[in-house]
Structure formats: C-alpha cells, structure tokens
Amino acid sequence: MPLIEHPDNTYEYIIVGAGASGCVVANRLSRNHKTLLLEAGSLDSSWELLMPQNCGNLWGNEKFSWNIKSETQKELSGNSLSCIVGRVLGGSAAISAMCWLRGHPSGFNSWKNHGIEGWNYTEVLPYLKRVEGCTFKCDQNIRGVNGPMKLTRAEEDSYGRALLSAAEQLGYGVSEDLNGDQVEGFGIVESQTYRGVRWSPSRAYLHPILNRTNLHIVCNAMVSKILIENSFATGVEFLDRASKEVLTVNASKEVIVCAGGILSPKLLILS
C-alpha cells in the first residue's frame, strides 16, 4: 500500500478520513489524479480487525475507536450515550458488526418526492449493484456480483429454519433476500466478510491498488484545520500523531472531507 510518513507539499486532491466514503473517493480519484488520503487512525492490519467474531471487543478499544460520548442526558437520569466511531483505515465499517443492509427503497423514493433529482430507488439501484460482490446465489437484476465489497450470506441451519418457520406461522413476512424485492420481514443476514475475514472498505477499495503511484496514504494524521483563501479550501493542517509535528499540505484542486457525521462538522467548525 502507498503508505508514507512525509507527504509531498502539494496534491491535486486531499481527502480527510479513510472511512467508507474516503476509501471509495480515494480509489476513484487516484486513477487519474495525484491524491492524498489522511487517516487519523492506524493501519488496518491487526488480527483484531480481521477476525469477525472479535467485533464486540473493538467497540471499546481506543486503538480503533474514538469512543465519543454525548453530553449527559436529563431523560436518561444523567447518563451519557456512547457513539462508537472508527479510528482506523476503513473507518467505522472496520469495527462494525458487518451486517449488510441497503437503505429502504421508500427512503430513496422520498428524496425524489422532495425534489432531489436522480436519487429515487430505480436510479440509485445500478450504483448499489456496482458496490456489491455477492458470493451467494441471488437475483442479478437487483443484486451485484462483481463489485469490490465481498458479501457472504450466513448458512441456514436447523435453528435458523425453525426461527423463519415460527415467524411465518405468526404472520410475519419471510424474505429470501432482505436486500432484494422484499426488504421487510425475517431473513438470513448478509455480512461484509469473505473467506472468514472481515471485508472492510479499505480491503475492498484500497488494498487492490497497492502499487498505484498517484495515491499517498498517511495514517495517524489528525487534521485540525482546513486552510481557506478567498473562500476556497487550499489545503489542510494536521498533527502527525507519531512525531507530534504539525504539518501543512496544499491542494491544487479540492479538499474533500470524509470524516464522518460527527468529526466532519467538528473539523468545519475548527476551520
């Protein structure tokens, strides 16, 4: 992987955050553009991340998670809520429970109904299929089999069959594919795993481009500020958590913030 310790002075694109969106954007842009991907967390090579059954031990592990907590909540008797956010190459999907569920079709259609063009379910479906690399038998009219995100369906056993049968007897829907035509009801779960290993966005979108010279990746790089000149983002300032140095890198085209739903707005506020 094009991991480096000291980035160049200038790139065409700088991407902040190597979670799901950051990994995808880095893959696409670095095909033709000099791109820098900055990740505040570590590399994703630890066995703790690769072993699916270990996911429960990752959520409270400060090596891989920010462990963000809310303010105390009056309605919760003064307790706070934990918000587990990944701090590793691959982001929160590198420490998640790996269940694969698409957004509900009605959710996409509601965006269309609110005037957002190009986002109804039918229009989004080709892109959902492009992501997926289903390793099980499926309807290829609505599911993808050649995408980078490898998906495995749990093997059905006697306990699973009994559960599905009980659900059906009680009048609940039973779906052969919860990401297919029938998205509501009971069904067999799909996971982001492949051959017994977690298949995170970094494994799907970064690992296959190990030799791409257009892409540089810096881990343990905590971006603290977006540099702005004349209302345009021109670069970033970040702390190298290993050397404790504060470094500045310039972007000749764009700075793309992919730091997640909590840390992206935080960075914008700090900037």
Side-chain angles (χ1 to χ4, degrees):
M1 187 174 294
L3 288 164
I4 61 171
E5 294 183 3
H6 301 288
D8 296 340
N9 290 328
T10 302
Y11 294 80
E12 291 178 83
Y13 293 95
I14 298 174
I15 303 167
V16 181
S21 58
C23 289
V24 174
V25 174
N27 181 298
R28 301 290 171 82
L29 287 178
S30 63
R31 292 174 184 173
N32 301 304
H33 302 280
K34 186 178 180 182
T35 304
L36 174 65
L37 177 61
L38 298 172
E39 167 54 43
S42 61
L43 189 60
D44 60 346
S45 57
S46 171
W47 68 267
E48 296 174 87
L49 298 167
L50 299 177
M51 190 171 82
Q53 288 183 319
N54 191 55
C55 67
N57 295 321
L58 300 175
W59 301 334
N61 190 332
E62 293 186 355
K63 290 193 298 182
F64 308 118
S65 172
W66 287 106
N67 293 334
I68 296 170
K69 291 188 179 295
S70 72
E71 296 290 339
T72 55
Q73 305 294 309
K74 178 182 177 182
E75 294 78 6
L76 296 175
S77 301
N79 292 306
S80 60
L81 295 171
S82 295
C83 186
I84 300 168
V85 178
R87 184 170 65 176
V88 64
L89 209 64
S92 297
I95 64 172
S96 70
M98 296 160 285
C99 293
W100 182 265
L101 282 174
R102 293 174 173 177
H104 198 291
S106 65
F108 293 110
N109 292 334
S110 71
W111 293 350
K112 172 73 172 182
N113 296 337
H114 282 85
I116 304 176
E117 296 295 329
W119 281 91
N120 70 27
Y121 179 67
T122 301
E123 293 167 310
V124 170
L125 181 58
Y127 300 97
L128 297 175
K129 290 172 60 179
R130 187 184 298 180
V131 172
E132 295 177 333
C134 296
T135 60
F136 47 87
K137 185 178 179 180
C138 59
D139 182 354
Q140 295 186 32
N141 290 315
I142 51 178
R143 303 301 307 276
V145 296
N146 297 314
M149 185 58 72
K150 299 292 186 182
L151 303 175
T152 301
R153 182 174 290 166
E155 294 184 9
E156 188 176 324
D157 56 20
S158 59
Y159 296 102
R161 287 190 293 271
L163 175 61
L164 295 178
S165 177
E168 194 168 29
Q169 291 174 36
L170 291 170
Y172 294 103
V174 174
S175 175
E176 292 186 4
D177 187 347
L178 291 170
N179 290 301
D181 283 334
Q182 184 178 341
V183 298
E184 295 181 6
F186 286 73
I188 304 299
V189 172
E190 298 169 18
S191 64
Q192 296 168 230
T193 60
Y194 183 57
R195 295 179 177 175
V197 173
R198 176 194 293 272
W199 203 257
S200 68
S202 56
R203 294 188 68 82
Y205 288 93
L206 297 183
H207 285 242
I209 55 174
L210 302 179
N211 299 320
R212 188 175 290 178
T213 57
N214 263 350
L215 177 63
H216 287 173
I217 301 171
V218 180
C219 289
N220 296 306
M222 185 65 193
V223 177
S224 55
K225 186 178 182 180
I226 300 171
L227 305 177
I228 299 174
E229 294 181 14
N230 300 320
S231 300
F232 285 93
T234 60
V236 300
E237 181 180 278
F238 71 92
L239 171 67
D240 183 326
R241 294 170 59 207
S243 68
K244 307 302 181 184
E245 290 182 274
V246 176
L247 303 174
T248 298
V249 185
N250 300 308
S252 62
K253 292 184 181 291
E254 294 182 24
V255 174
I256 302 171
V257 181
C258 298
I262 295 177
L263 297 180
S264 288
K266 176 184 176 182
L267 176 59
L268 295 178
I269 292 170
L270 291 174
S271 301

